[in-house]
Amino acid sequence: TKNQETEVANLLLQFGEELAQAKAANSTDVFTTITEDNVEIIQNHILNGNSYNNLLYSGQFEEMSMDANILGLLEHIPGIKVNAELLYKEADYYLEDTPEFVSKSYPFLFELTYDEQEKKWLVQSEDKWNTVQNATHVLKGSNTLYEPDQETIKTAKVDIIKEEIEYFMGRFLYASVDAINNNSMSFVEYLMTKDGPSLKETTDYIANMKEKGITQILLSFSVDKVEEKETDVWQVAYTAEYRTFYPDKETIKKFKTVSIVKKVDGQWLADELISTDEI
């Protein structure tokens, strides 16, 4: 009926508004217009793309157009499918960049179900589809600008730093093993601060390993947690597994280590070993 068409159009208008909010907050918590099954779909296929690429989102919802003539029944569940298009002015950008807004249109084939308890339509899924050619309903969005809040920005910053530290720790740990096996600090000292405890600790450790005739292979490592202690000073907890060769045997052991790393002149450097425990 015409009333049902209006209900569906209003639902998709609200969905379009909530989608901009969700992308800015990088969270599906804002949605009131989708089914539980669709939460995972939107997280995996829409929100995670920016997260994986360390991108932030700002945008405003401008318009929803729907063609009620392109409408059909779903086969696998009770519901309908309808062609609608969402128009935004938006920007995807890195933390250190200024957003550059452009107009983007997203045509979808929406699958909708009706919640009998709530007495309202819900979006079951949204697939890329054809542009709406002959709109029967055109509704204006709020044009409210949705931007990342401070918590979202903080999380993005930590994710970026963690990625940088993971790369650095890989270089540092492999270089440390090379230094042990070749009995030479030249393999690793350029990755440490000149005035931090790590330089002397590592020098003594390499000398001790040489005296005992021990060599190593780094089998694997993973950064478990990073925490900012002060500007450009981060505490990193990581797990590393080694195959260690003694004069009379070999072992495989895994260690949980906490260290301090610093960013000096744009370069990450190991500064201090806090603790290391076999697990």
Side-chain angles (χ1 to χ4, degrees):
T1 67
K2 292 298 180 183
N3 285 340
Q4 289 172 321
E5 283 184 12
T6 300
E7 285 182 37
V8 168
N10 287 331
L11 166 76
L12 296 181
L13 179 71
Q14 183 63 26
F15 171 84
E17 201 74 40
E18 292 175 350
L19 183 59
Q21 288 179 270
K23 291 169 75 174
N26 193 29
S27 171
T28 57
D29 292 346
V30 302
F31 281 107
T32 63
T33 54
I34 64 177
T35 63
E36 290 185 8
D37 291 340
N38 202 9
V39 171
E40 185 175 355
I41 294 172
I42 290 176
Q43 184 67 57
N44 291 337
H45 296 284
I46 296 179
L47 302 188
N48 283 351
N50 274 13
S51 296
Y52 291 152
N53 293 294
N54 294 323
L55 290 170
L56 297 174
Y57 173 91
S58 294
Q60 55 195 60
F61 180 45
E62 296 187 316
E63 186 178 274
M64 187 285 304
S65 56
M66 181 183 86
D67 185 355
N69 293 316
I70 302 180
L71 187 149
L73 297 177
L74 301 182
E75 297 179 1
H76 53 293
I77 55 173
I80 62 172
K81 51 189 174 183
V82 61
N83 183 205
E85 190 167 351
L86 309 178
L87 179 63
Y88 296 87
K89 183 171 287 185
E90 61 183 19
D92 296 301
Y93 55 99
Y94 293 107
L95 183 62
E96 65 273 16
D97 293 339
T98 301
E100 295 184 6
F101 292 89
V102 295
S103 293
K104 287 187 181 179
S105 181
Y106 298 91
F108 289 113
L109 183 66
F110 287 99
E111 292 191 353
L112 311 178
T113 59
Y114 191 78
D115 188 315
E116 292 288 353
Q117 291 185 331
E118 297 291 331
K119 301 299 181 184
K120 67 176 185 179
W121 292 95
L122 293 172
V123 179
Q124 173 72 19
S125 69
E126 50 289 312
D127 292 319
K128 292 180 181 178
W129 198 248
N130 299 324
T131 300
V132 173
Q133 299 294 332
N134 300 297
T136 57
H137 298 72
V138 177
L139 302 178
K140 296 297 182 182
S142 72
N143 277 303
T144 300
L145 179 61
Y146 300 105
E147 299 178 286
D149 59 20
Q150 290 303 310
E151 188 61 31
T152 302
I153 291 172
K154 180 181 177 181
T155 300
K157 179 181 178 181
V158 171
D159 288 344
I160 292 169
I161 294 297
K162 184 178 180 183
E163 190 174 282
E164 290 181 4
I165 291 177
E166 281 179 328
Y167 177 73
F168 167 73
M169 291 308 303
R171 294 178 62 210
F172 176 73
L173 293 176
Y174 280 109
S176 298
V177 167
D178 287 340
I180 291 169
N181 295 342
N182 292 278
N183 186 34
S184 174
M185 280 292 292
S186 65
F187 285 89
V188 72
E189 63 183 345
Y190 70 98
L191 295 174
M192 292 186 282
T193 56
K194 290 179 171 51
D195 56 353
S198 279
L199 191 60
K200 183 178 186 308
E201 290 168 351
T202 304
T203 301
D204 294 344
Y205 183 68
I206 289 174
N208 183 55
M209 296 289 269
K210 179 191 178 185
E211 183 180 336
K212 294 180 179 179
I214 299 173
T215 57
Q216 284 185 326
I217 295 174
L218 177 64
L219 299 177
S220 65
F221 81 95
S222 62
V223 171
D224 306 315
K225 183 181 179 181
V226 296
E227 180 182 353
E228 187 174 21
K229 308 307 286 184
E230 55 185 273
T231 303
D232 288 336
V233 179
W234 288 70
Q235 181 173 292
V236 52
Y238 63 91
T239 302
E241 186 174 29
Y242 299 89
R243 184 187 299 274
T244 303
F245 301 91
Y246 300 85
D248 58 345
K249 64 177 182 178
E250 66 178 73
T251 63
I252 294 178
K253 293 183 179 181
K254 189 178 288 188
F255 297 89
K256 189 87 161 181
T257 302
V258 178
S259 295
I260 296 294
V261 297
K262 293 183 176 181
K263 202 170 204 179
V264 180
D265 297 329
Q267 301 294 321
W268 287 104
L269 300 172
D271 183 67
E272 182 179 1
L273 174 66
I274 304 298
S275 65
T276 185
D277 299 290
E278 185 178 351
I279 57 175

